[in-house]
Amino acid sequence: MYLINSRLTVQDATISADDLRRLLTDIADPDDCLEHLYAETDTREARLAFFVCHPDLAAAESATADLCMRALSSCPELEGWSMDYCGAGLVPGAEEILLGV
């Protein structure tokens, strides 16, 4: 199982973490191998942690990015949102937070 982080951003919109989790879970198909999804949201971004079961990291990252892009292109609730990051590394900026810089 891999943990893939994603960050979605928008100028000024709101979606609850529960609604976003529901949207992504509903649009996921068996090939995404989504096991669990954690989300935090505010008026400018959504921070997501996808737990996916794939044979290797590249497949896990690719499937997660595809899932996010499907949601962004097909869910009216996500109109205006974009994906800033999707990968197994820390979300950009998290290193500074963890190090207290």
Side-chain angles (χ1 to χ4, degrees):
M1 185 176 304
Y2 291 93
L3 167 59
I4 308 297
N5 297 301
S6 183
R7 181 172 177 246
L8 308 179
T9 57
V10 69
Q11 281 295 84
D12 188 27
T14 284
I15 187 168
S16 74
D18 287 338
D19 288 343
L20 183 55
R21 273 193 306 273
R22 192 171 14 266
L23 281 175
L24 288 161
T25 301
D26 288 349
I27 203 168
D29 61 45
D31 291 337
D32 295 319
C33 301
L34 179 63
E35 292 292 319
H36 180 69
L37 172 60
Y38 175 79
E40 290 183 357
T41 62
D42 62 31
T43 59
R44 294 186 157 263
E45 70 180 2
R47 293 159 308 282
L48 303 161
F50 294 84
F51 295 84
V52 294
C53 287
H54 280 278
D56 58 57
L57 177 58
E61 288 179 324
S62 178
T64 303
D66 289 347
L67 172 57
C68 288
M69 293 308 295
R70 277 197 323 271
L72 291 172
S73 66
S74 66
C75 296
E77 299 90 340
L78 298 178
E79 184 176 340
W81 289 77
S82 62
M83 183 172 62
D84 280 0
Y85 176 81
C86 189
L90 293 175
V91 174
E95 296 89 349
E96 290 83 10
I97 293 169
L98 292 172
L99 297 173
V101 177

